[in-house]
Amino acid sequence: MSFTDLFRFYQKTDENHKKDLNAVFKPEGIAVVGASSKPGKIGYQILKNIIDCGYQGNIYPVNPNDAEVLGKKAYKTVEEIPEKVDVAVISIPAPLVIQTLEGCARKGIKAVAVITSGFAEVGNTDAEVQIKKIADKNNIALLGPNMFGYVYTPSKLNASFGPSDIRPGKIAFISQSGALAISLMGWTAMEKIGLASLVNLGNKSDIDEKDLIEYFNHDENVDAILIYMEGIKEGRKFLETEIKKPVVILKVGSSKRGAKAAASHTGSLSGSDKIYEGVFKQLGLLRASTFTQAFDWARAFSLPLPKGDETVIITNGGGIGVATTDECEAVGLSLLDDPIWLEEKFRKTMPDFGSTKNPVDITGQGGVVGYREAVKIALHEDKIKSVIVLYCETAVTDPMDIAKAMNEEYQAVHRNKPVVVAMVGGERTQAALHYLNDHHIPAFTEVSEAVSALKALYKWKEIANRKSEVVKIDPAPQEAIDMIEKIKSVGRTVLLEHEARKVLELCGVPTPKWGFARNIEEAVVKAKDMYPLAMKIASPEIIHKSDVGGVAVNIQNEEQLRTQYDKMMNKVSAAMPDANILGVNLIQMMKGIECIVGLSNDPQFGPVVMFGLGGVFVEALKDVSFRIVPFGKMEAGRLINDIKTAKILDGFRGIQADKASIVQTIYSIQKLAPLVKEIDINPLITNKDGSFAVDARIIL
Ligand code: COA
């Protein structure tokens, strides 16, 4: 791939921006093609849901055999409908979909939701390509096919064959899986989680996650977006998604077996999970690991963003307070630590034996008055930036009274800072939890859920405050391009060590002092200011150099160099008499932390860069993280801090990493993305003086 090709590849691929998603979510008229009078049929249920859920626009059943369906006049085709239709929900067998879609185009319909199965998911890709073509040609936004429909509560529109009891709210839930979305519709209603929208993407032959995220970015009815994803169809397109609101993503298929199941389920490719992880981080999506967690987080985004770090816990139980403190420490939420101030403010809210340390423990005796007072103080004091309220049910307190008092105080200050709640108890407590959730105060039965939800809000704040970065990767210098072209022209695909190091150096990757010498006299001259050094045999035929005696380390002076050189030549020519020996590589020995920086090509996302701790444990620990090319230096900084062992880089046994030069390395190797298949810099040794590509392998 040439530079021009690659940079075209980076350019915006989005062609859906012209498509009108208002026609999907805020239609004036909706047609149901395949609407049926027969209960149990999908076309019956969709029409019934649209009518029962109170959609106020015009509803047009389409059925060639019925004059009326569910009390509404039916039409033989969409073209017969005399008024304007914005969206058609299509629920007729697959072979009939194409002609219906053409009819929709002639009628000027701007959106369709194709419920019908039997397309790419069963190998019928031709039909799917055809419907996508018709949609593109006529500028129709196409949802599905193979979907269960969608819901948009601000329009009271339930165009699905799922349950009808959807709770209105401000979360938009986008699900690749239909069955799962249907089941979660009931669950969210039970859990008092309100939804603004629920969209099942199905095969996402046209409208996908990016289109919907960007639509909801501008929809005031949506506070947060939650996505259930099995795989991405167009990796590069997804990478261009503009993130303006918190997006929680639940991506399944991280195990090898899971990835296989997801691929066969959706017909889409599930790439390596670590690469997906990198994509989500690069875009600023919050990845949850369970449905509960995803919804816990999504709920938290109805809260205002915290203005600082200091969290206060208010509790009536010591144990639950300690458990919450542990959770806060585990996720990195910092508790306000100012005992004198806390004593002064909170003492009056509790009996003498209560504790004003954070957690503020108003004791089991603390009832509605104590809670009201403590919560009021926490809300009014600017020094406190977020609040976690805990409650253990006791016979002497009424959880509902406490929940109501909390809500009153919160409304009185116009929800000025984030408050999350965890309540443990029986039925009375459940009712109080529901009351709080109904009033948009995220309330949970587990303290870990409350802490995790609050942490998600802090994470989102960090993402929302990220400075935007103009990403511009310069092309590799001409000298490097010429070198690579020359190597290619003689049919070689692997660069020799000194060639690889030279190419990297030309692109701006820092290297230790090094030299290539064709004989011992050249080696002596080049080695002068390099000791201690390592010497390695240079031969295109010898890949595993140490196996044939082709590596000598810790050479301190000229005398040792001469001795080691002779030994090496004898050993190598004995082991591989036919090898073409070009000379030796001399590399200054470096001390520091061993890292690995790599570049490879992912089938979904194209060129990706990997960073991790290197050396002998790299394979076993797999503590590496990815980003997708191209990305800037700020993102490279985040990539470095992503790995689990990132703390080591801040200083370990007196050795400290030089993060700026690691960033420089990560930035620089991106210049080679259009020219190579793979780069492995292992190790990149980093110490306080810089980072040095000690060994490198480049495959074309
Ligand atoms: N225009 C409008 N209506 C038409 C039509 C046309 N061109 N051709 C037929 N119809 C009518 C039929 O007469 C029928 O009405 P009736 O019940 O009054 O007889 C209705 O449309 C449905 O057609 P039918 O042949 O009975 O199909 P079906 O209802 O058994 O199945 C689907 C249609 C779309 C539900 C089915 O093909 C399918 O894909 N099912 C899977 C859906 C799914 O699971 N999606 C993914 C969820 S995650």
Side-chain angles (χ1 to χ4, degrees), residues 167-168 186-194 296 299 391 393 399-404 406-407 411 415 421-445 449:
R167 250 184 123 70
W187 179 81
T188 51
M190 188 185 78
E191 289 288 310
K192 311 278 180 211
I193 298 171
D296 288 352
R299 260 194 254 202
Y391 168 79
E393 191 172 322
M400 184 59 88
D401 284 349
I402 290 169
K404 284 183 175 165
M406 250 191 279
N407 183 44
Q411 302 307 332
R415 298 170 64 89
V421 178
M423 291 182 130
V424 187
E427 276 172 23
R428 292 190 310 149
T429 295
Q430 278 304 316
L433 283 170
H434 283 165
Y435 173 88
L436 288 168
N437 281 318
D438 249 351
H439 289 80
H440 310 291
I441 302 177
F444 308 94
T445 42
E449 288 182 274

Short mmCIF file of all heavy atoms in Angstrom, two decimals, residues 167-168 186-194 296 299 391 393 399-404 406-407 411 415 421-445 449:
data_model
loop_
_atom_site.label_atom_id
_atom_site.label_comp_id
_atom_site.label_asym_id
_atom_site.label_seq_id
_atom_site.Cartn_x
_atom_site.Cartn_y
_atom_site.Cartn_z
N ARG A 167 -39.77 1.74 29.81
CA ARG A 167 -39.76 2.94 30.67
C ARG A 167 -39.05 4.07 29.96
O ARG A 167 -37.91 3.90 29.52
CB ARG A 167 -38.92 2.61 31.89
CG ARG A 167 -39.68 2.48 33.14
CD ARG A 167 -38.69 2.26 34.25
NE ARG A 167 -38.89 3.28 35.24
CZ ARG A 167 -39.95 3.34 36.01
NH1 ARG A 167 -40.89 2.44 35.89
NH2 ARG A 167 -40.07 4.29 36.90
N PRO A 168 -39.68 5.21 29.84
CA PRO A 168 -38.97 6.32 29.20
C PRO A 168 -37.79 6.76 30.05
O PRO A 168 -37.82 6.69 31.28
CB PRO A 168 -40.02 7.43 29.13
CG PRO A 168 -41.31 6.81 29.49
CD PRO A 168 -41.05 5.59 30.26
N GLY A 186 -37.38 -6.11 29.08
CA GLY A 186 -38.16 -6.45 30.28
C GLY A 186 -37.35 -6.18 31.54
O GLY A 186 -37.86 -5.63 32.52
N TRP A 187 -36.09 -6.52 31.49
CA TRP A 187 -35.22 -6.36 32.67
C TRP A 187 -35.07 -4.88 33.05
O TRP A 187 -35.16 -4.53 34.22
CB TRP A 187 -33.86 -7.01 32.37
CG TRP A 187 -32.89 -6.90 33.49
CD1 TRP A 187 -32.83 -7.70 34.61
CD2 TRP A 187 -31.82 -5.95 33.62
NE1 TRP A 187 -31.80 -7.30 35.41
CE2 TRP A 187 -31.16 -6.24 34.84
CE3 TRP A 187 -31.36 -4.90 32.84
CZ2 TRP A 187 -30.07 -5.51 35.27
CZ3 TRP A 187 -30.27 -4.17 33.27
CH2 TRP A 187 -29.64 -4.47 34.47
N THR A 188 -34.87 -4.03 32.04
CA THR A 188 -34.69 -2.61 32.34
C THR A 188 -35.97 -2.04 32.97
O THR A 188 -35.90 -1.24 33.90
CB THR A 188 -34.34 -1.78 31.09
OG1 THR A 188 -35.28 -2.06 30.07
CG2 THR A 188 -32.95 -2.05 30.59
N ALA A 189 -37.11 -2.49 32.48
CA ALA A 189 -38.37 -1.99 33.05
C ALA A 189 -38.45 -2.40 34.52
O ALA A 189 -38.80 -1.60 35.39
CB ALA A 189 -39.56 -2.55 32.27
N MET A 190 -38.09 -3.66 34.81
CA MET A 190 -38.15 -4.17 36.18
C MET A 190 -37.18 -3.40 37.09
O MET A 190 -37.47 -3.10 38.23
CB MET A 190 -37.80 -5.65 36.16
CG MET A 190 -37.99 -6.37 37.47
SD MET A 190 -37.41 -8.04 37.30
CE MET A 190 -35.64 -7.82 37.42
N GLU A 191 -36.02 -3.06 36.54
CA GLU A 191 -34.99 -2.38 37.33
C GLU A 191 -35.17 -0.85 37.37
O GLU A 191 -34.31 -0.13 37.85
CB GLU A 191 -33.60 -2.69 36.74
CG GLU A 191 -33.13 -4.11 36.94
CD GLU A 191 -32.75 -4.40 38.38
OE1 GLU A 191 -32.00 -3.62 38.97
OE2 GLU A 191 -33.25 -5.41 38.91
N LYS A 192 -36.27 -0.40 36.80
CA LYS A 192 -36.59 1.05 36.75
C LYS A 192 -35.51 1.82 35.98
O LYS A 192 -35.13 2.92 36.37
CB LYS A 192 -36.73 1.64 38.15
CG LYS A 192 -37.63 0.86 39.07
CD LYS A 192 -39.08 1.21 38.82
CE LYS A 192 -40.00 0.43 39.74
NZ LYS A 192 -41.29 0.12 39.19
N ILE A 193 -35.00 1.19 34.94
CA ILE A 193 -34.03 1.89 34.10
C ILE A 193 -34.79 2.44 32.90
O ILE A 193 -35.45 1.69 32.17
CB ILE A 193 -32.91 0.94 33.63
CG1 ILE A 193 -32.14 0.40 34.83
CG2 ILE A 193 -31.96 1.64 32.65
CD1 ILE A 193 -31.17 -0.72 34.50
N GLY A 194 -34.71 3.74 32.71
CA GLY A 194 -35.44 4.35 31.62
C GLY A 194 -34.62 4.38 30.34
O GLY A 194 -33.41 4.55 30.37
N ASP A 296 -25.36 -0.08 35.08
CA ASP A 296 -25.00 0.72 36.28
C ASP A 296 -24.31 2.00 35.84
O ASP A 296 -24.60 3.08 36.33
CB ASP A 296 -24.03 -0.06 37.18
CG ASP A 296 -24.70 -1.21 37.90
OD1 ASP A 296 -25.93 -1.32 37.82
OD2 ASP A 296 -23.97 -2.01 38.54
N ARG A 299 -26.56 4.46 33.95
CA ARG A 299 -27.43 5.18 34.89
C ARG A 299 -26.71 6.37 35.51
O ARG A 299 -27.29 7.41 35.74
CB ARG A 299 -27.81 4.24 36.03
CG ARG A 299 -29.17 3.66 35.87
CD ARG A 299 -29.59 3.06 37.17
NE ARG A 299 -29.53 1.61 37.09
CZ ARG A 299 -30.22 0.83 37.90
NH1 ARG A 299 -30.98 1.34 38.83
NH2 ARG A 299 -30.14 -0.47 37.78
N TYR A 391 -26.78 2.43 53.12
CA TYR A 391 -27.82 2.19 54.13
C TYR A 391 -27.96 0.68 54.32
O TYR A 391 -28.07 -0.09 53.36
CB TYR A 391 -29.14 2.79 53.65
CG TYR A 391 -30.33 2.34 54.47
CD1 TYR A 391 -30.60 2.92 55.72
CD2 TYR A 391 -31.19 1.34 54.01
CE1 TYR A 391 -31.69 2.50 56.48
CE2 TYR A 391 -32.28 0.92 54.76
CZ TYR A 391 -32.52 1.50 56.00
OH TYR A 391 -33.60 1.08 56.74
N GLU A 393 -30.54 -1.93 56.17
CA GLU A 393 -31.90 -1.88 56.73
C GLU A 393 -31.89 -2.26 58.21
O GLU A 393 -31.25 -3.24 58.60
CB GLU A 393 -32.81 -2.83 55.95
CG GLU A 393 -34.26 -2.64 56.30
CD GLU A 393 -35.20 -3.44 55.40
OE1 GLU A 393 -34.93 -3.56 54.19
OE2 GLU A 393 -36.21 -3.94 55.93
N PRO A 399 -36.52 2.72 55.23
CA PRO A 399 -35.70 3.07 54.06
C PRO A 399 -36.40 4.03 53.10
O PRO A 399 -35.75 4.88 52.49
CB PRO A 399 -35.42 1.72 53.39
CG PRO A 399 -36.30 0.73 54.05
CD PRO A 399 -36.70 1.27 55.38
N MET A 400 -37.72 3.90 52.98
CA MET A 400 -38.41 4.79 52.05
C MET A 400 -38.36 6.24 52.53
O MET A 400 -38.12 7.16 51.73
CB MET A 400 -39.87 4.33 51.87
CG MET A 400 -40.63 5.13 50.84
SD MET A 400 -39.86 5.05 49.19
CE MET A 400 -40.65 3.59 48.54
N ASP A 401 -38.53 6.42 53.84
CA ASP A 401 -38.44 7.79 54.38
C ASP A 401 -37.06 8.38 54.10
O ASP A 401 -36.92 9.55 53.74
CB ASP A 401 -38.66 7.79 55.91
CG ASP A 401 -40.13 7.60 56.24
OD1 ASP A 401 -40.95 7.68 55.30
OD2 ASP A 401 -40.44 7.36 57.43
N ILE A 402 -36.03 7.55 54.28
CA ILE A 402 -34.65 8.02 54.07
C ILE A 402 -34.44 8.36 52.59
O ILE A 402 -33.88 9.40 52.24
CB ILE A 402 -33.64 6.95 54.57
CG1 ILE A 402 -33.72 6.90 56.11
CG2 ILE A 402 -32.22 7.25 54.10
CD1 ILE A 402 -33.00 5.74 56.74
N ALA A 403 -34.94 7.48 51.71
CA ALA A 403 -34.80 7.73 50.27
C ALA A 403 -35.49 9.04 49.89
O ALA A 403 -34.94 9.86 49.14
CB ALA A 403 -35.40 6.57 49.49
N LYS A 404 -36.67 9.25 50.45
CA LYS A 404 -37.42 10.48 50.11
C LYS A 404 -36.69 11.71 50.62
O LYS A 404 -36.59 12.73 49.92
CB LYS A 404 -38.84 10.42 50.68
CG LYS A 404 -39.74 9.50 49.88
CD LYS A 404 -41.16 9.50 50.41
CE LYS A 404 -42.03 8.64 49.48
NZ LYS A 404 -43.31 8.30 50.09
N MET A 406 -33.52 12.05 51.13
CA MET A 406 -32.33 12.23 50.29
C MET A 406 -32.71 12.94 48.99
O MET A 406 -32.05 13.87 48.55
CB MET A 406 -31.76 10.85 49.93
CG MET A 406 -30.45 10.55 50.58
SD MET A 406 -29.76 9.09 49.85
CE MET A 406 -30.59 7.79 50.63
N ASN A 407 -33.79 12.45 48.38
CA ASN A 407 -34.22 13.04 47.11
C ASN A 407 -34.61 14.51 47.29
O ASN A 407 -34.24 15.35 46.47
CB ASN A 407 -35.38 12.22 46.54
CG ASN A 407 -35.82 12.76 45.19
OD1 ASN A 407 -34.98 13.07 44.33
ND2 ASN A 407 -37.11 12.93 44.99
N GLN A 411 -32.84 17.48 45.27
CA GLN A 411 -33.56 18.39 44.37
C GLN A 411 -33.38 19.84 44.82
O GLN A 411 -33.28 20.74 43.99
CB GLN A 411 -35.06 18.06 44.30
CG GLN A 411 -35.40 16.64 43.85
CD GLN A 411 -34.74 16.23 42.54
OE1 GLN A 411 -34.45 17.07 41.68
NE2 GLN A 411 -34.45 14.94 42.39
N ARG A 415 -29.50 19.07 42.16
CA ARG A 415 -28.59 17.97 41.77
C ARG A 415 -27.20 18.55 41.45
O ARG A 415 -26.69 18.40 40.35
CB ARG A 415 -29.16 17.22 40.55
CG ARG A 415 -30.50 16.57 40.83
CD ARG A 415 -31.15 16.05 39.55
NE ARG A 415 -30.39 14.99 38.91
CZ ARG A 415 -30.52 13.69 39.16
NH1 ARG A 415 -31.41 13.27 40.04
NH2 ARG A 415 -29.79 12.81 38.52
N VAL A 421 -26.00 5.67 45.53
CA VAL A 421 -26.52 5.07 46.76
C VAL A 421 -26.39 3.55 46.68
O VAL A 421 -26.57 2.97 45.61
CB VAL A 421 -28.02 5.45 46.93
CG1 VAL A 421 -28.60 4.80 48.17
CG2 VAL A 421 -28.19 6.97 46.98
N ALA A 422 -26.06 2.93 47.82
CA ALA A 422 -26.18 1.47 47.92
C ALA A 422 -27.01 1.17 49.16
O ALA A 422 -26.73 1.70 50.24
CB ALA A 422 -24.82 0.82 48.02
N MET A 423 -28.05 0.37 49.00
CA MET A 423 -28.93 0.02 50.12
C MET A 423 -29.04 -1.48 50.21
O MET A 423 -29.33 -2.15 49.22
CB MET A 423 -30.31 0.62 49.90
CG MET A 423 -30.37 2.14 50.00
SD MET A 423 -32.06 2.71 49.77
CE MET A 423 -32.26 3.77 51.19
N VAL A 424 -28.81 -1.99 51.41
CA VAL A 424 -28.86 -3.43 51.60
C VAL A 424 -30.01 -3.76 52.54
O VAL A 424 -30.09 -3.19 53.63
CB VAL A 424 -27.53 -3.95 52.21
CG1 VAL A 424 -27.52 -5.48 52.25
CG2 VAL A 424 -26.34 -3.43 51.42
N GLY A 425 -30.88 -4.64 52.10
CA GLY A 425 -32.01 -4.99 52.96
C GLY A 425 -33.04 -5.80 52.20
O GLY A 425 -32.77 -6.32 51.12
N GLY A 426 -34.24 -5.87 52.77
CA GLY A 426 -35.29 -6.71 52.18
C GLY A 426 -36.23 -5.92 51.29
O GLY A 426 -35.80 -5.00 50.58
N GLU A 427 -37.51 -6.29 51.37
CA GLU A 427 -38.49 -5.72 50.44
C GLU A 427 -38.64 -4.21 50.59
O GLU A 427 -38.80 -3.48 49.61
CB GLU A 427 -39.85 -6.39 50.63
CG GLU A 427 -39.95 -7.69 49.86
CD GLU A 427 -41.20 -8.47 50.17
OE1 GLU A 427 -42.20 -7.87 50.62
OE2 GLU A 427 -41.17 -9.70 49.96
N ARG A 428 -38.60 -3.74 51.86
CA ARG A 428 -38.77 -2.29 52.07
C ARG A 428 -37.63 -1.54 51.40
O ARG A 428 -37.80 -0.48 50.81
CB ARG A 428 -38.78 -1.98 53.57
CG ARG A 428 -40.01 -2.52 54.31
CD ARG A 428 -40.08 -1.97 55.73
NE ARG A 428 -38.83 -2.14 56.46
CZ ARG A 428 -38.39 -1.33 57.41
NH1 ARG A 428 -39.10 -0.27 57.74
NH2 ARG A 428 -37.25 -1.55 58.03
N THR A 429 -36.45 -2.13 51.50
CA THR A 429 -35.27 -1.50 50.90
C THR A 429 -35.38 -1.50 49.38
O THR A 429 -35.04 -0.53 48.71
CB THR A 429 -33.99 -2.22 51.38
OG1 THR A 429 -33.89 -1.99 52.77
CG2 THR A 429 -32.75 -1.70 50.69
N GLN A 430 -35.89 -2.62 48.83
CA GLN A 430 -36.08 -2.69 47.37
C GLN A 430 -36.98 -1.56 46.89
O GLN A 430 -36.71 -0.91 45.87
CB GLN A 430 -36.72 -4.03 46.98
CG GLN A 430 -35.75 -5.19 46.86
CD GLN A 430 -34.62 -4.89 45.89
OE1 GLN A 430 -34.84 -4.37 44.81
NE2 GLN A 430 -33.39 -5.20 46.29
N ALA A 431 -38.04 -1.33 47.63
CA ALA A 431 -38.98 -0.27 47.23
C ALA A 431 -38.27 1.09 47.27
O ALA A 431 -38.46 1.93 46.39
CB ALA A 431 -40.18 -0.28 48.16
N ALA A 432 -37.42 1.28 48.29
CA ALA A 432 -36.69 2.56 48.40
C ALA A 432 -35.70 2.71 47.24
O ALA A 432 -35.55 3.80 46.67
CB ALA A 432 -35.95 2.62 49.73
N LEU A 433 -35.06 1.59 46.87
CA LEU A 433 -34.13 1.62 45.73
C LEU A 433 -34.86 2.02 44.45
O LEU A 433 -34.38 2.85 43.68
CB LEU A 433 -33.50 0.23 45.53
CG LEU A 433 -32.39 -0.19 46.48
CD1 LEU A 433 -32.07 -1.66 46.30
CD2 LEU A 433 -31.14 0.65 46.22
N HIS A 434 -36.01 1.41 44.26
CA HIS A 434 -36.79 1.75 43.06
C HIS A 434 -37.21 3.22 43.07
O HIS A 434 -37.18 3.89 42.04
CB HIS A 434 -38.03 0.85 42.95
CG HIS A 434 -37.68 -0.52 42.46
ND1 HIS A 434 -38.52 -1.58 42.54
CD2 HIS A 434 -36.54 -0.99 41.89
CE1 HIS A 434 -37.93 -2.66 42.03
NE2 HIS A 434 -36.73 -2.32 41.63
N TYR A 435 -37.57 3.68 44.25
CA TYR A 435 -37.96 5.10 44.37
C TYR A 435 -36.80 5.99 43.93
O TYR A 435 -36.97 6.93 43.15
CB TYR A 435 -38.37 5.41 45.82
CG TYR A 435 -38.61 6.88 46.05
CD1 TYR A 435 -39.86 7.45 45.83
CD2 TYR A 435 -37.56 7.72 46.46
CE1 TYR A 435 -40.06 8.81 46.00
CE2 TYR A 435 -37.75 9.08 46.64
CZ TYR A 435 -39.01 9.63 46.41
OH TYR A 435 -39.20 10.97 46.57
N LEU A 436 -35.61 5.69 44.42
CA LEU A 436 -34.44 6.53 44.09
C LEU A 436 -34.14 6.46 42.59
O LEU A 436 -33.92 7.49 41.95
CB LEU A 436 -33.22 6.08 44.90
CG LEU A 436 -33.27 6.43 46.39
CD1 LEU A 436 -32.17 5.71 47.15
CD2 LEU A 436 -33.13 7.95 46.60
N ASN A 437 -34.14 5.26 42.06
CA ASN A 437 -33.85 5.13 40.62
C ASN A 437 -34.90 5.84 39.78
O ASN A 437 -34.58 6.44 38.76
CB ASN A 437 -33.73 3.66 40.22
CG ASN A 437 -32.37 3.10 40.61
OD1 ASN A 437 -31.35 3.77 40.43
ND2 ASN A 437 -32.35 1.92 41.17
N ASP A 438 -36.14 5.77 40.25
CA ASP A 438 -37.21 6.49 39.58
C ASP A 438 -36.94 7.99 39.56
O ASP A 438 -37.36 8.70 38.65
CB ASP A 438 -38.51 6.27 40.35
CG ASP A 438 -39.46 5.42 39.55
OD1 ASP A 438 -39.16 5.19 38.37
OD2 ASP A 438 -40.49 5.01 40.10
N HIS A 439 -36.25 8.45 40.59
CA HIS A 439 -35.93 9.89 40.68
C HIS A 439 -34.51 10.18 40.20
O HIS A 439 -33.92 11.18 40.60
CB HIS A 439 -36.18 10.39 42.11
CG HIS A 439 -37.63 10.44 42.45
ND1 HIS A 439 -38.35 9.32 42.82
CD2 HIS A 439 -38.53 11.46 42.39
CE1 HIS A 439 -39.62 9.65 43.00
NE2 HIS A 439 -39.76 10.93 42.74
N HIS A 440 -33.99 9.29 39.40
CA HIS A 440 -32.68 9.48 38.74
C HIS A 440 -31.53 9.63 39.73
O HIS A 440 -30.57 10.35 39.47
CB HIS A 440 -32.73 10.67 37.77
CG HIS A 440 -33.89 10.57 36.84
ND1 HIS A 440 -33.98 9.61 35.87
CD2 HIS A 440 -35.05 11.28 36.77
CE1 HIS A 440 -35.12 9.73 35.24
NE2 HIS A 440 -35.80 10.73 35.77
N ILE A 441 -31.65 8.97 40.87
CA ILE A 441 -30.49 8.86 41.77
C ILE A 441 -30.07 7.39 41.66
O ILE A 441 -30.79 6.50 42.12
CB ILE A 441 -30.85 9.22 43.23
CG1 ILE A 441 -31.40 10.65 43.30
CG2 ILE A 441 -29.64 9.03 44.14
CD1 ILE A 441 -31.84 11.10 44.68
N PRO A 442 -28.92 7.11 41.04
CA PRO A 442 -28.54 5.71 40.83
C PRO A 442 -28.38 4.99 42.17
O PRO A 442 -27.57 5.40 43.01
CB PRO A 442 -27.20 5.80 40.09
CG PRO A 442 -27.18 7.18 39.51
CD PRO A 442 -27.95 8.04 40.46
N ALA A 443 -29.18 3.96 42.38
CA ALA A 443 -29.18 3.25 43.66
C ALA A 443 -29.05 1.76 43.41
O ALA A 443 -29.70 1.22 42.52
CB ALA A 443 -30.45 3.58 44.41
N PHE A 444 -28.21 1.12 44.21
CA PHE A 444 -27.84 -0.27 43.93
C PHE A 444 -27.94 -1.12 45.20
O PHE A 444 -27.93 -0.60 46.32
CB PHE A 444 -26.40 -0.32 43.42
CG PHE A 444 -26.16 0.61 42.26
CD1 PHE A 444 -25.67 1.90 42.47
CD2 PHE A 444 -26.45 0.22 40.96
CE1 PHE A 444 -25.47 2.78 41.40
CE2 PHE A 444 -26.24 1.08 39.88
CZ PHE A 444 -25.75 2.37 40.10
N THR A 445 -27.94 -2.44 45.00
CA THR A 445 -27.95 -3.33 46.17
C THR A 445 -26.53 -3.68 46.61
O THR A 445 -26.32 -4.15 47.70
CB THR A 445 -28.70 -4.65 45.86
OG1 THR A 445 -28.31 -5.06 44.56
CG2 THR A 445 -30.19 -4.47 45.91
N GLU A 449 -21.28 -1.88 43.06
CA GLU A 449 -21.97 -1.28 41.91
C GLU A 449 -21.99 0.24 42.03
O GLU A 449 -21.76 0.96 41.06
CB GLU A 449 -23.41 -1.78 41.83
CG GLU A 449 -23.55 -3.22 41.38
CD GLU A 449 -25.02 -3.60 41.28
OE1 GLU A 449 -25.59 -4.00 42.31
OE2 GLU A 449 -25.59 -3.48 40.19
#
